[in-house]
Amino acid sequence: MTATFKTLDELDLTNKRVLLRADLNVPVADGKVSDATRIERLVPTIREIVKHDGKAILLSHFGRPKGKVDPEFSLEQVCSAVADQTGHPVGFVATDWNDVSAAKKAIDAAPAGSVLVLENTRFHPGEEANNPELAQRMASLGDVYVNDAFSAAHRAHASTEALAHLLPAAAGLAMQAELEALEAGLGKPKKPVVAIVGGAKVSSKIDLLENLVTKVDGLVIGGGMANTFLHAQGHGVGKSLAEKDLAETALRIMDKAIDSGCAIILPIDAVVSWHFKADSPTRLYGVDAIDPDGMILDIGPSSIERITGAIDDAHTVVWNGPMGAFEMNPFDAGTVAIAKHVAKRTHDGKLVSVAGGGDTVSALAHAGVKDAFTYVSTAGGAFLEWMEGKPLPGVEALKK
């Protein structure tokens, strides 16, 4: 694929101060990072900068300090995790985003090949406002800019959008890998393409569904949102989670799918329980005969067979959202079965598989196949907006 965005190899990194927009917004428990996945993905770019005697100067937000300095959200607490992942000493630069002169002196005094973390960009209200003056102060700290935080690319913030226009700019290696994977998923995929969309609510994914039916050959709908579509078709869904007021929206999406030549694949049987808790009694029903007092909590074996058949016909699968209440046994069976089938087809070289979204990543990890997909995105909101077909400001700013 010919990149439409600038890449790291197009920048001169030698002895340069490299402002690296990272995503260090990682979970922290008892002062320690509990999941370093996002930091792990930064390592190749950091090493490439250091290899050229550049200074890797990491910019990131952390939590929601609402534009004010709050020690609870200081990035100093993640520095040890960055050092552990890179195997390189990491310095913390206390940064006053109103006056960066002290930070500039600290950066200039650091030796070539240093890795430095600046303070939380959201300690200044201008970050989320995409303030040009704040971006200018940030730019004064570096010679070139690299964005390796796809997960923050859907926000037009000072450190993700405005800053990219002030210095020579490019995508980092993690950002490049993500964009290339997404291009293979929906941009210029190998057809047929099947999208799998699950989760609780249609209301949070209307834009996503309307975009997908115009781009894919088959759309699998599962999870609680499938109940809304089943209700719209006239099926009783008992006490299941369903947005019955969105029946017309569901029918409109189905009509649009027909016009676009996209097959909608809904459950044909379901695992029903009368209690929303793990290991509660269950019974299998066809979707035309759901117990009025029961709740649909997973897809049934006939639905699994139907979905795996569609996957067998596909060359590309894009996945966002589980098929059922996968956090609880036995309602994880449908999600696990589909995930393992996609993983096997991918392993056999018959499928390009791209997945993303917080619940999706957790579900694939639960199924033991997170590393068996072609690409799994950790970028929740950005991944969803990409699937919706929306331009991402942090990516647009890197285009040639």
Side-chain angles (χ1 to χ4, degrees), residues 218 245 275 348 370:
D245 58 322
H275 306 283
D348 293 344
K370 190 176 82 168

mmCIF file of all heavy atoms in Angstrom, residues 218 245 275 348 370:
data_model
loop_
_atom_site.group_PDB
_atom_site.id
_atom_site.type_symbol
_atom_site.label_atom_id
_atom_site.label_comp_id
_atom_site.label_asym_id
_atom_site.label_seq_id
_atom_site.Cartn_x
_atom_site.Cartn_y
_atom_site.Cartn_z
ATOM 1 N N GLY A 218 -21.435 -8.653 3.969
ATOM 2 C CA GLY A 218 -22.284 -9.262 4.979
ATOM 3 C C GLY A 218 -22.091 -8.564 6.306
ATOM 4 O O GLY A 218 -20.962 -8.215 6.666
ATOM 5 N N ASP A 245 -37.840 1.588 20.789
ATOM 6 C CA ASP A 245 -38.167 2.853 20.125
ATOM 7 C C ASP A 245 -37.328 3.082 18.874
ATOM 8 O O ASP A 245 -37.586 4.010 18.111
ATOM 9 C CB ASP A 245 -37.986 4.021 21.097
ATOM 10 C CG ASP A 245 -36.575 4.103 21.656
ATOM 11 O OD1 ASP A 245 -35.979 3.040 21.928
ATOM 12 O OD2 ASP A 245 -36.063 5.224 21.830
ATOM 13 N N HIS A 275 -32.351 -14.912 34.727
ATOM 14 C CA HIS A 275 -31.553 -14.157 35.702
ATOM 15 C C HIS A 275 -30.274 -13.681 35.022
ATOM 16 O O HIS A 275 -29.594 -14.466 34.361
ATOM 17 C CB HIS A 275 -31.195 -15.020 36.921
ATOM 18 C CG HIS A 275 -32.379 -15.644 37.585
ATOM 19 N ND1 HIS A 275 -33.229 -14.943 38.413
ATOM 20 C CD2 HIS A 275 -32.872 -16.913 37.511
ATOM 21 C CE1 HIS A 275 -34.190 -15.755 38.832
ATOM 22 N NE2 HIS A 275 -33.997 -16.953 38.297
ATOM 23 N N ASP A 348 -4.750 -19.963 9.084
ATOM 24 C CA ASP A 348 -4.631 -20.781 7.871
ATOM 25 C C ASP A 348 -4.369 -19.950 6.615
ATOM 26 O O ASP A 348 -4.284 -20.500 5.512
ATOM 27 C CB ASP A 348 -5.903 -21.613 7.673
ATOM 28 C CG ASP A 348 -6.074 -22.679 8.757
ATOM 29 O OD1 ASP A 348 -5.091 -22.969 9.464
ATOM 30 O OD2 ASP A 348 -7.201 -23.210 8.900
ATOM 31 N N LYS A 370 -6.501 -13.130 21.111
ATOM 32 C CA LYS A 370 -6.207 -11.720 20.831
ATOM 33 C C LYS A 370 -5.001 -11.563 19.912
ATOM 34 O O LYS A 370 -4.953 -10.663 19.076
ATOM 35 C CB LYS A 370 -5.961 -10.966 22.135
ATOM 36 C CG LYS A 370 -5.876 -9.459 21.958
ATOM 37 C CD LYS A 370 -5.725 -8.729 23.277
ATOM 38 C CE LYS A 370 -4.288 -8.725 23.741
ATOM 39 N NZ LYS A 370 -4.048 -7.794 24.857
#
